[in-house]
Amino acid sequence: MTTERPLRVAIIGAGPAGTYAADILSKTDLNVSIDIIERLPAPFGLVRYGVAPDHPRIKQIIVALANVIGRGDIRLLANVNVGEDISLEELREHYDAVIFATGSFKDADLDIPGIDLEGSFGAADFVSWYDGHPDVPRTWPLDASQVAVFGVGNVALDVARILAKHVKDLMPTEIPANVVDGLSGSPVTDVHVFGRRGPAQVKFSPLELRELGHVPDVDIVVYPETDYEFDEASLEFAETNKQQKQVVKTLTDYALKEPGTASRRIHLHFLQSPHEVLGEDGKVVGVRVERTALQGDGTVKGTGEFIDYPVQAVYRAVGYWGTEIEGIPFNGAKGTIRNEGGRVVDESGEHLQGYYATGWIKRGPVGLIGHTKSDASETIANLVEDAPSLYAETKATPAGLSPDNVLRLLKSRGVPVVQWADWEILDAHERAIGEPHGRERIKVVPREQMTEIALSRSAHNVSP
């Protein structure tokens, strides 16, 4: 399809979901102009701020994302907070369509007594801290020798591993200096990870679980006498599902190992459901779990038997949750924007013309990054199908559709917009300060400092 002017599209979020959507859209037959608008001064979203620093192989995804945004046909407008710096209504004056790719960054709730006690934390907040997210405090309370982690997914493993790992073994990574300082003083000796179902139902990936057993001076403890059980459905699933078969084999290897002599331990508990966080003087002093029993079909049921564990801190890693965007229909039961195939819809199923969603904010925080590509493909296919009506019904004025007009508006409001060339300056700075320490980079974490460095030699001055 060709037209006299390009279809103007804004994608909110510069993580994998937004970047893949931009890449796929740019390769369609549409004459299109794409801006990726990012709230933070740096792109890459959850890959930069949600992947543990000791997993550099996953961070190589950033290379692929950078190749897309940096090739010149897609514009990055970072350090712009939609809803504050510019409203959705104003976006529609400058763009024919808006795609939400804002992800899921909040912790899902865990509704048990005591979860709000001092010393109880969301895993997402802790991940943001150790990944140097610019919007979180630079310090974290690490005064517990015994810790509980609720959840049996990769985030739970990441939290347990970072808590238990000796800081010297994190030094080759891009871990921020303030996180090194915080972890250096941690007195932790034992981290207990709890899952309500059996070992065949855990959501660990095989590689993550195997890597856990190679952390220096950290023993992995599994309890075969009490926690390591399978029913008929569990055995069948573990045998027929290739990934779960590898997970069960690794867990079995851990269970058969003799007790070690490491100074720190990660305990993997199965068939134990969080029931209550115990407190004293407003602070966490323990957790109470209920033992569960497999029912033959892979499901579990509480037995009425309770076990107390003394811990001084609790982390809930029971999932991420999307953030509601004012004026956009939200599914409060799923933590996602209401949509059908990526088209944003109201409660009656009517499409909100010009609005789309992709990634976790579209389908919820499940699946791997590869699933994000298929999400984007579906959303973009529907946007392309809608293109004639987007041209016809756009709220944008011909003058407003000039790409520079968005920059002029933001500049008039004093918003320090970070574009791709500016990000490259910040990227080079982080790599330069990491090099003398034998590290690929050291993140610059305060937002103001990031922005100042990025814009120090800005080539994107637009006249008002």
Side-chain angles (χ1 to χ4, degrees):
M1 176 185 294
T2 60
T3 183
E4 291 183 3
R5 69 165 177 86
L7 186 79
R8 291 274 290 145
V9 178
I11 300 175
I12 304 177
T19 305
Y20 290 144
D23 187 36
I24 294 168
L25 179 57
S26 72
K27 295 174 181 176
T28 66
D29 291 335
L30 285 179
N31 179 13
V32 64
S33 170
I34 305 169
D35 286 345
I36 299 180
I37 302 175
E38 168 60 47
R39 184 177 66 85
L40 297 174
F44 311 130
L46 203 62
V47 182
R48 177 175 165 96
Y49 291 118
V51 175
D54 57 347
H55 278 166
R57 58 183 172 76
I58 298 178
K59 289 182 179 291
Q60 289 306 305
I61 296 166
I62 286 178
V63 175
L65 301 181
N67 287 338
V68 173
I69 306 177
R71 70 188 181 212
D73 59 328
I74 297 166
R75 186 170 65 168
L76 175 68
L77 303 179
N79 206 39
V80 177
N81 192 351
V82 174
E84 292 185 10
D85 298 327
I86 187 170
S87 68
L88 280 179
E89 292 76 12
E90 288 171 325
L91 278 184
R92 289 308 308 281
E93 294 173 4
H94 293 83
Y95 299 94
D96 301 292
V98 175
I99 302 174
F100 298 99
T102 49
S104 303
F105 284 92
K106 296 196 305 182
D107 285 288
D109 293 332
L110 180 61
D111 187 17
I112 61 174
I115 198 66
D116 294 326
L117 287 167
E118 182 181 340
S120 177
F121 309 102
D125 292 334
F126 183 57
V127 171
S128 292
W129 175 73
Y130 68 59
D131 265 332
H133 196 291
D135 290 346
V136 302
R138 304 273 67 81
T139 58
W140 190 271
L142 290 164
D143 51 9
S145 59
Q146 298 159 303
V147 179
V149 179
F150 295 147
V152 283
N154 284 343
V155 174
L157 282 191
D158 285 346
V159 169
R161 190 183 65 256
I162 293 296
L163 285 168
K165 200 168 189 175
H166 292 279
V167 74
K168 64 181 177 63
D169 296 314
L170 289 167
M171 292 309 293
T173 75
E174 64 180 37
I175 189 167
N178 64 291
V179 178
V180 171
D181 292 341
L183 291 173
S184 294
S186 172
V188 68
T189 58
D190 294 86
V191 180
H192 298 266
V193 180
F194 294 95
R196 60 182 295 273
R197 295 203 289 172
Q201 287 82 35
V202 298
K203 301 299 183 182
F204 307 141
S205 69
L207 183 57
E208 289 254 2
L209 187 60
R210 286 196 299 270
E211 287 180 345
L212 198 67
H214 298 291
V215 180
D217 195 33
V218 176
D219 284 332
I220 311 303
V221 185
V222 176
Y223 297 86
E225 302 87 356
T226 56
D227 297 357
Y228 208 66
E229 296 180 5
F230 300 82
D231 60 8
E232 186 176 343
S234 300
L235 288 171
E236 181 179 356
F237 181 55
E239 185 61 34
T240 57
N241 184 286
K242 182 178 180 181
Q243 176 162 303
Q244 211 64 23
K245 186 175 185 177
Q246 296 177 57
V247 167
V248 169
K249 180 184 182 305
T250 301
L251 288 173
T252 302
D253 291 342
Y254 291 151
L256 294 176
K257 279 187 177 180
E258 292 294 326
T261 59
S263 65
R264 294 179 176 179
R265 291 158 293 278
I266 296 176
H267 308 257
L268 301 179
H269 302 280
F270 308 111
L271 299 170
Q272 298 189 40
S273 179
H275 181 75
E276 182 179 357
V277 179
L278 306 175
E280 189 175 296
D281 297 327
K283 298 181 178 180
V284 172
V285 297
V287 294
R288 178 166 296 160
V289 299
E290 181 181 13
R291 187 168 290 284
T292 61
L294 289 159
Q295 300 299 294
D297 59 357
T299 65
V300 295
K301 183 178 180 180
T303 64
E305 177 188 352
F306 295 93
I307 308 170
D308 291 353
Y309 293 87
V311 300
Q312 301 81 47
V314 172
Y315 292 80
R316 68 182 188 280
V318 295
Y320 286 98
W321 203 252
T323 301
E324 188 168 357
I325 299 168
E326 186 175 356
I328 299 299
F330 193 73
N331 187 334
K334 296 182 177 180
T336 60
I337 288 175
R338 290 185 181 275
N339 74 94
E340 292 181 2
R343 292 183 175 104
V344 176
V345 299
D346 60 21
E347 292 188 10
S348 68
E350 186 75 18
H351 179 207
L352 269 65
Q353 183 72 14
Y355 289 118
Y356 300 84
T358 190
W360 280 5
I361 199 63
K362 169 189 172 184
R363 62 181 164 87
V366 292
L368 303 174
I369 287 178
H371 295 91
T372 303
K373 289 185 178 180
S374 59
D375 266 347
S377 295
E378 179 184 49
T379 296
I380 296 306
N382 285 329
L383 186 153
V384 170
E385 182 180 314
D386 298 341
S389 62
L390 296 176
Y391 278 112
E393 299 182 23
T394 180
K395 298 178 182 179
T397 64
L401 287 165
S402 168
D404 279 348
N405 280 355
V406 178
L407 283 174
R408 290 190 179 98
L409 175 63
L410 293 168
K411 183 177 180 181
S412 72
R413 294 175 177 175
V415 180
V417 180
V418 173
Q419 296 194 61
W420 182 255
D422 307 321
W423 153 250
E424 290 182 312
I425 293 170
L426 176 59
D427 180 47
H429 177 83
E430 290 184 341
R431 293 177 185 278
I433 60 176
E435 187 175 354
H437 303 280
R439 295 151 77 174
E440 181 183 357
R441 68 174 348 110
I442 295 179
K443 289 178 182 173
V444 180
V445 286
R447 175 188 284 268
E448 297 77 11
Q449 186 181 3
M450 291 174 68
T451 306
E452 181 181 358
I453 293 167
L455 298 177
S456 61
R457 297 190 297 275
S458 179
H460 300 293
N461 296 314
V462 177
S463 301

